[in-house]
Amino acid sequence: LDAFHGFQEKRLIERVPLEAFAQNDPSEAPRSADIIPAMRRHFDVEVMPFGMLLSYEVLLGIIRNFDPADADDNALLDRLMELDRAAERSGQADTLFANIVARPRDPNAAISVLLPGAVPDFPPVLASCPAPAVTPGTVAGIDGWLVAEAADLTIRLCHLQACLGVRTGVLELGVYRGKYLALLAALHADAGLPVVGVDMFIERIGQPIPPEHVPYFIGQITDAVQEAVPGSPAPVILAASTASLDAAALHAHCPAGYSLVSVDAGHEVGDVMHDLALAASVLSSGGIVALDDAFGAGLPGVTEGLFRFLTEAGDGEGGLAAFAFCANKLFLCRPAMHATYLAYANWLLTAPDAPPYAAEAARQSRALTS
């Protein structure tokens, strides 16, 4: 007699529709299959399953009918558990419950991964999860501006974030044709969270965009993202001024926040100050902001807006701290994570596989200090 269904006799097991979870508890086991693989990135994991495969659904709502003092009841439960074990041995089903013991491979490295601001030993941390197959060439065929060196550093930073467990949505304020957004989408394709872009769609290189043409440009961006990540869901593209948005509007599309936010919308002082504050307000723990066109002689408003924002925001929770500059992109993070990311940037200068632009920066630094 099924306590969950009016104490009627239970004769059939039916899959609960996803809509029921969305309505009652959308947090029910999201990406639960990824829990153990994610743990294995940083720990030696011992999994001790204790069953409940088929039996979980069979006994749901009727377990109270069994008497532990009744030999027939116990024989029936023993038979059910044996079917569970057979299904697991044959690979037909996975256990739903297990005891898991996770031991840090290197206690110091584990602490550095878990504590903001700690400086890890980068080689073992970076080896803890696969390097992305994405390269600057992944988006080479997409229209737009993206310096190869800035793309390469973005790829390396996103790999570091993945190894540190920083993996949420991505956001770009000022999308243009979607070249950088497509790169970010490809780097976060396994995160399972939204790719969000914002653009006013009012002009292209000085030419006004009629409102009726906006869907065409949104389609171009969608195509660019799906070209970089075949089979991916369409990105969320908002046709809006960043000045009209706040943290709540952006969190509505990704409540977990964004692990990388690109700021490349308005280039006037007030626009940059607003957009950096907006980026900081939706940045997830360990997140990075990439500011485009910083220190460019032709766009002084970006640099002035940057310094005004840094001065006014300070080093509190709403502030940002710069840790790397490459080509025309300045990379910033929350002050609590600054030591980690700055140490990585310094390590990259002399890493065994340092990219040419990092090796050249190291050479110039030595020349300046010698």
Side-chain angles (χ1 to χ4, degrees):
L1 303 180
D2 189 345
F4 292 163
H5 296 90
F7 291 95
Q8 299 298 309
E9 189 175 23
K10 184 172 183 175
R11 291 183 171 273
L12 181 67
I13 296 172
E14 294 182 303
R15 182 182 294 274
V16 179
L18 289 177
E19 292 76 17
F21 293 105
Q23 180 177 356
N24 297 300
D25 184 5
S27 69
E28 175 73 24
R31 301 180 64 206
S32 57
D34 295 339
I35 292 172
I36 294 176
M39 294 177 69
R40 292 192 194 279
R41 294 178 188 170
H42 308 295
F43 302 94
D44 292 323
V45 176
E46 183 179 358
V47 179
M48 294 161 281
F50 59 87
M52 299 298 285
L53 292 77
L54 311 173
S55 57
Y56 180 82
E57 290 291 345
V58 170
L59 296 173
L60 193 64
I62 63 171
I63 186 66
R64 67 183 67 196
N65 298 318
F66 292 84
D67 182 355
D70 188 299
D72 290 337
D73 281 7
N74 287 330
L76 182 58
L77 290 175
D78 287 343
R79 175 60 179 150
L80 183 57
M81 296 308 165
E82 177 52 39
L83 289 172
D84 257 7
R85 289 188 285 270
E88 185 176 14
R89 287 193 299 268
S90 66
Q92 292 177 291
D94 292 326
T95 182
L96 292 179
F97 299 94
N99 284 319
I100 300 175
V101 177
R103 298 180 177 90
R105 297 190 187 99
D106 175 349
N108 293 324
I111 290 171
S112 70
V113 166
L114 298 174
L115 296 181
V119 177
D121 182 12
F122 291 107
V125 168
L126 294 171
S128 67
C129 63
V134 181
T135 69
T138 301
V139 295
I142 299 172
D143 192 18
W145 295 278
L146 180 57
V147 181
E149 290 81 0
D152 180 82
L153 183 55
T154 299
I155 293 167
R156 292 171 185 271
L157 289 171
C158 288
H159 179 218
L160 174 62
Q161 285 185 308
C163 296
L164 295 176
V166 180
R167 213 64 169 163
T168 53
V170 293
L171 167 69
E172 182 161 36
L173 306 177
V175 183
Y176 189 56
R177 298 290 176 84
K179 194 180 188 82
Y180 196 52
L181 188 66
L183 181 74
L184 299 181
L187 290 166
H188 292 75
D190 62 338
L193 289 172
V195 173
V196 180
V198 180
D199 202 288
M200 290 182 69
F201 297 105
I202 58 173
E203 67 173 10
R204 282 290 180 269
I205 319 299
Q207 298 297 315
I209 296 176
E212 62 270 19
H213 291 180
V214 170
Y216 166 78
F217 286 100
I218 292 177
Q220 276 194 327
I221 295 166
T222 298
D223 291 345
V225 169
Q226 294 183 327
E227 176 185 328
V229 192
S232 65
V236 176
I237 305 299
L238 306 177
S241 165
T242 57
S244 68
L245 300 174
D246 58 13
L250 294 174
H251 274 134
H253 299 284
C254 188
Y258 300 88
S259 56
L260 202 144
V261 181
S262 168
V263 175
D264 188 19
H267 292 75
E268 300 299 327
V269 174
D271 297 331
V272 174
M273 294 177 68
H274 173 274
D275 291 350
L276 285 173
L278 183 60
S281 71
V282 297
L283 202 61
S284 62
S285 178
I288 291 172
V289 174
L291 175 64
D292 204 60
D293 295 318
F295 311 125
L299 296 166
V302 177
T303 304
E304 183 177 347
L306 164 68
F307 283 110
R308 285 196 184 183
F309 167 79
L310 294 175
T311 300
E312 294 183 11
D315 58 1
E317 182 65 19
L320 296 171
F323 64 87
F325 179 71
C326 184
N328 64 333
K329 287 193 186 294
L330 180 70
F331 295 91
L332 309 99
C333 63
R334 294 194 188 282
M337 286 296 293
H338 186 255
T340 299
Y341 287 131
L342 181 62
Y344 173 76
N346 283 321
W347 173 82
L348 188 60
L349 294 177
T350 55
D353 63 341
Y357 61 87
E360 174 60 18
R363 186 195 66 77
Q364 293 180 9
S365 177
R366 289 193 299 270
L368 288 170
T369 56
S370 63

